[in-house]
Amino acid sequence: MSRTYSKREFLRLMGLGIAFMPFISCFDDEPSTDKPKTPAKEPKQKAGTAVTDQIAVTEEDVLMLSRNDAAYASFNTAFNKRIQHLPKYIAVCKTEKGVQFALQKAAAEQLKVAVKSGGHSFEGFSSNDRGMVINVSLMKQIRLISDNEIEIQPGCLLQDIQAYLFPKKKLLPSGSCGTVGIAGLALGGGYGFFSRKFGLTCDSLLQLRLVDASGTIRDTKDDETLLWACKGGGNGNFGAVTSFRFRVYNMPPTFDSYVLRFRNMTAERFANTLSAWFDVSNTLPDEAFGAYVLNGKTLTVLITTYKTYSGFAETIAPIADLADSKSVTLAASLPQAMKRYYGRKGPIFFKNASCGLYRDKEDILGIKDELFAQVSGNPGIVFQVNTLGGKINDPGFAAGSCYPHRHLPFLGELQAYWQQESQESRMTTTFEAIQTLFRDSGIKAHYRNYPDINFKDWETMYYGDHYARLQEVKRQYDPEDLFHYPQSIRL
Ligand SMILES: Cc1cc2nc3c(=O)[nH]c(=O)nc-3n(C[C@H](O)[C@H](O)[C@H](O)COP(=O)(O)OP(=O)(O)OC[C@H]3O[C@@H](n4cnc5c(N)ncnc54)[C@H](O)[C@@H]3O)c2cc1C
């Protein structure tokens, strides 16, 4: 049974509060109380040793749940209520050895494998039907290993990492929504308030360990190509990641935000504000971030910076001066400010996807009238553009990762939210009609972490020219295509 929201709750869900990425779902929830753990003294197994014998495990390593087990249902939930799967087994892994055991069992029973950490995949790619799900959500250890490096297990959520790092005055540049998993986010790229200064989350990734399809532990310190492939193409393709080592930065102490509201939007006002927003975004310093969010006939523009610039108000004036109202918060404590964007814990009914990475406003101005008509005429549909650019386009980062779209400094995101299951067909039909507008206007690049199951040419849309090299990595670490979902890298 789907939950019915009160009018107040629904209005808030529909964007009368401020949030972003995805703008609506990411607002106004309590931070998790499920804290990361201090590391156990478990000796690490050597990477690279192939598993030939059956691994001996206990319940301290893995719980192998099947549909009759009471705990199955609670581990089978995901953030997106639209997508329901029924795997044969859910292997709740607590150790690397547990992951090895689960993979051995999947191979022996010829089951396809999906890997789940934070469970926020837009299209349910972290589960499957009749296969094996390796669920690493309980692997939540986290440890600062030096002044600028952190080791994190894949079950940590973004809010866990902030709760650990902020008291130490450190920052890992990532996304905003507190309940998103670091694993899925970093393996597909990862952007947020700090990306224009420090790059994508995957650009801070120094090393990882994964268990490949043969059950062998692999460490990227022995294979630079594997690290390259996991920075943007690592989601459930080559193995189950069991630990990450990231570079961290000094936490900026404060955060400024400018929230601009525009009501009763018309097609003409849409064109003018969109154009002004792109122009302002092109002049923002790397410490700043911007989002343009059209929700029905209401537009909200968010501009943030964590470095206070004299003249910042003048920089954003071309868009701010068009607004009906402004709410400005200066020098908020950064940890407090981040909590405002933690968002809902879900699950909720939605369909979100990339609607393109853009070079500039010219890429979408050609469809502005139809786009406005569709979004403003269909309550529950949201069109958003976020700033990327800045350090994301650093040539060193480009060389070290398979994320291919660094030259495209704007990310479009289409969102649809509804309350009752019966509304799904209408909402997804409208969604697809809008995606067709973008496709027909020549938009070809999309963000892997905002997937759409209906993208036909997803291999090049997500991975550009790097797809063939990713296939080579796939053949090396998963030659039988054990790790498989609708848009996993093919052999
Ligand atoms: C509410 C919301 C807010 C978001 N905000 C942002 C944002 O601010 N910035 C941004 O860049 N993205 C954002 N995203 C998108 C997000 O980055 C992706 O959905 C991401 O893949 C989620 O990771 P997860 O671990 O939570 O999800 P999961 O569903 O667990 O996994 C997602 C994918 O990663 C794979 N995967 C997960 N764990 C592992 C592992 N240990 N080893 C190998 N593969 C693994 C899965 O197989 C699956 O393909 C948001 C998504 C939602 C729903």
Side-chain angles (χ1 to χ4, degrees):
M1 274 265 292
S2 53
R3 179 181 164 218
T4 308
Y5 299 102
S6 69
K7 190 173 174 211
R8 196 162 157 263
E9 280 177 308
F10 188 64
L11 285 175
R12 195 163 62 176
L13 181 71
M14 287 292 113
L16 294 185
I18 178 67
F20 84 105
M21 296 188 301
F23 191 79
I24 305 299
S25 52
C26 222
F27 179 60
D28 201 17
D29 211 342
E30 292 300 310
S32 155
T33 48
D34 192 9
K35 295 260 161 47
K37 300 174 188 111
T38 44
K41 292 268 179 271
E42 189 195 330
K44 270 192 179 167
Q45 296 179 64
K46 199 165 172 286
T49 316
V51 184
T52 45
D53 299 330
Q54 196 173 349
I55 300 265
V57 287
T58 69
E59 289 200 345
E60 295 305 307
D61 297 301
V62 56
L63 302 174
M64 193 61 65
L65 304 175
S66 50
R67 288 176 210 172
N68 294 332
D69 289 304
Y72 178 96
S74 65
F75 282 99
N76 198 33
T77 54
F79 189 76
N80 197 344
K81 257 165 82 170
R82 175 174 60 91
I83 300 162
Q84 317 270 342
H85 285 298
L86 275 182
K88 179 168 185 189
Y89 299 115
I90 300 176
V92 181
C93 300
K94 303 176 189 172
T95 63
E96 209 168 50
K97 205 158 74 157
V99 176
Q100 287 180 290
F101 175 84
L103 282 166
Q104 211 171 40
K105 186 173 173 66
E109 296 192 26
Q110 297 188 319
L111 300 174
K112 292 298 179 194
V113 174
V115 191
K116 179 168 169 179
S117 291
H120 273 56
S121 169
F122 282 175
E123 293 286 12
F125 291 161
S126 47
S127 190
N128 59 29
D129 291 309
R130 296 177 294 281
M132 166 81 76
V133 171
I134 308 266
N135 183 316
V136 291
S137 64
L138 298 185
M139 295 179 70
K140 280 171 105 60
Q141 291 177 13
I142 181 166
R143 185 169 69 103
L144 200 58
I145 49 181
S146 73
D147 198 40
N148 56 9
E149 287 182 19
I150 190 167
E151 199 171 80
I152 301 179
Q153 285 194 328
C156 285
L157 308 179
L158 302 187
Q159 64 196 15
D160 298 330
I161 297 166
Q162 292 188 0
Y164 179 84
L165 283 181
F166 285 166
K168 298 174 175 59
K169 307 272 181 263
K170 294 289 171 188
L171 173 88
L172 174 62
S174 60
S176 60
C177 204
T179 52
V180 168
I182 185 65
L185 180 117
L187 293 170
Y191 79 97
F193 292 124
F194 307 97
S195 319
R196 289 164 49 79
K197 180 73 176 176
F198 302 111
L200 299 170
T201 308
C202 69
D203 297 325
S204 296
L205 180 59
L206 302 170
Q207 185 185 352
L208 61 74
R209 277 163 74 92
L210 60 73
V211 184
D212 75 10
S214 70
T216 307
I217 296 165
R218 303 289 180 180
D219 192 319
T220 56
K221 76 174 167 14
D222 307 319
D223 184 347
E224 274 181 21
T225 305
L226 181 61
L227 183 62
W228 170 88
C230 288
K231 291 179 168 193
N235 301 86
N237 283 317
F238 316 117
V241 176
T242 51
S243 100
F244 298 93
R245 185 164 62 87
F246 287 102
R247 174 164 182 208
V248 292
Y249 302 84
N250 290 334
M251 182 193 84
T254 60
F255 195 75
D256 297 350
S257 60
Y258 299 76
V259 180
L260 316 175
R261 300 274 190 203
F262 307 72
R263 296 186 184 83
N264 303 316
M265 291 286 287
T266 58
E268 190 187 354
R269 210 172 179 210
F270 176 61
N272 292 340
T273 52
L274 194 65
S275 179
W277 180 83
F278 271 98
D279 291 346
V280 165
S281 297
N282 278 325
T283 66
L284 289 176
D286 286 354
E287 288 79 5
F289 167 86
Y292 179 100
V293 187
L294 180 68
N295 178 8
K297 286 197 166 59
T298 301
L299 166 68
T300 305
V301 165
L302 170 67
I303 299 175
T304 69
T305 173
Y306 53 87
K307 183 171 172 190
T308 303
Y309 287 95
S310 65
F312 195 75
E314 286 73 42
T315 302
I316 67 167
I319 181 74
D321 289 350
L322 303 177
D324 298 326
S325 64
K326 299 169 203 155
S327 160
V328 181
T329 309
L330 299 179
S333 128
L334 187 121
Q336 286 305 321
M338 291 303 104
K339 282 190 181 155
R340 276 206 82 191
Y341 302 92
Y342 273 1
R344 300 177 52 84
K345 271 186 202 153
I348 55 175
F349 287 110
F350 72 97
K351 165 128 184 148
N352 285 5
S354 164
C355 57
L357 284 138
Y358 319 128
R359 195 179 301 274
D360 205 347
K361 60 184 174 186
E362 302 307 329
D363 289 357
I364 53 171
L365 280 182
I367 56 164
K368 64 184 180 351
D369 292 339
E370 296 110 297
L371 179 59
F372 178 74
Q374 288 278 13
V375 177
S376 61
N378 288 290
I381 300 277
V382 178
F383 167 65
Q384 176 166 349
V385 192
N386 301 307
T387 54
L388 298 176
K391 199 73 194 296
I392 292 175
N393 201 15
D394 178 84
F397 288 158
S401 91
C402 72
Y403 178 82
H405 303 309
R406 294 180 182 275
H407 60 295
L408 300 173
F410 297 99
L411 170 61
E413 182 184 2
L414 191 61
Q415 309 170 41
Y417 300 92
W418 57 95
Q419 303 170 73
Q420 308 288 343
E421 218 167 340
S422 56
Q423 295 167 289
E424 175 176 329
S425 163
R426 185 176 61 78
M427 295 303 286
T428 52
T429 303
T430 306
F431 191 98
E432 188 52 26
I434 303 175
Q435 284 292 54
T436 305
L437 284 178
F438 287 102
R439 193 184 55 237
D440 291 351
S441 75
I443 297 296
K444 290 197 175 72
H446 291 283
Y447 176 32
R448 158 60 186 83
N449 266 349
Y450 287 181
D452 190 328
I453 198 90
N454 295 324
F455 287 153
K456 295 279 177 295
D457 186 18
W458 56 267
E459 296 90 337
T460 40
M461 287 172 160
Y462 299 151
Y463 304 115
D465 292 342
H466 295 320
Y467 188 67
R469 194 170 168 207
L470 289 168
Q471 287 181 293
E472 282 171 32
V473 178
K474 176 84 174 171
R475 282 192 282 272
Q476 188 178 348
Y477 291 104
D478 184 19
E480 304 293 327
D481 195 23
L482 198 70
F483 294 97
H484 185 95
Y485 54 88
Q487 293 179 347
S488 56
I489 308 240
R490 301 297 188 240
L491 289 170

